Amino acid sequence: QVQLVESGGGLVQPGGSLRLSCRAIGFRLDAFTAGWFRQVPGKEREVVACLSTDGEGRRTYADSVKGRFTISRDRVQDTVDLQMDRLNVDDTAIYYCAADSFTTVCNEIDYWGQGIQVTVSS
């Protein structure tokens, strides 16, 4: 079963921007810590950004995207979004949305999206 669905991927030029969005099927995403991961062929899936659900929400980012990516939660639409700015070729990957039921650091994933392609190229 597909529990999470990503949207907003595509092809962009270096320096451009893209916004990814994640929604849940069959449950409220705002009850979960949520994050975005990415993976390229031959490498392990890595966490890009994570957002907890408690209080204001704790945001963490991979060093490679700090200052360029912003994760946020829309509690009205119940989505978790990833704004990606100043994209570069190294950001090319399949991006996955993920939900974590108990931790605040996206390290015990309960549900995954199917993945969406982000390609940064001239």
Side-chain angles (χ1 to χ4, degrees):
Q1 296 182 15
V2 177
Q3 302 291 339
L4 301 171
V5 178
E6 305 97 337
S7 62
L11 173 66
V12 296
Q13 297 184 19
S17 297
L18 205 61
R19 187 175 182 88
L20 304 181
S21 185
C22 174
R23 65 179 176 89
I25 299 177
F27 63 96
R28 293 286 302 185
L29 190 55
D30 61 8
F32 289 75
T33 289
W36 288 91
F37 290 68
R38 67 186 181 188
Q39 187 171 25
V40 298
K43 297 189 65 177
E44 295 291 322
R45 192 173 298 182
E46 64 173 350
V47 61
V48 174
C50 184
L51 175 61
S52 68
T53 188
D54 59 308
E56 296 295 325
R58 178 178 175 83
R59 294 171 169 83
T60 59
Y61 298 94
D63 289 341
S64 60
V65 307
K66 285 182 178 178
R68 299 189 298 118
F69 290 11
T70 303
I71 188 171
S72 62
R73 190 190 301 272
D74 187 329
R75 294 188 180 273
V76 176
Q77 300 296 322
D78 195 29
T79 62
V80 174
D81 304 321
L82 184 69
Q83 178 67 41
M84 304 183 292
D85 297 321
R86 291 179 285 152
L87 287 161
N88 57 63
V89 174
D90 291 335
D91 294 317
T92 296
I94 298 177
Y95 284 70
Y96 299 86
C97 182
D100 184 335
S101 61
F102 293 108
T103 80
T104 62
V105 291
C106 298
N107 64 351
E108 295 183 6
I109 304 302
D110 297 287
Y111 305 108
W112 292 96
Q114 79 283 1
I116 189 166
Q117 181 69 47
V118 171
T119 301
V120 185
S121 176
S122 298

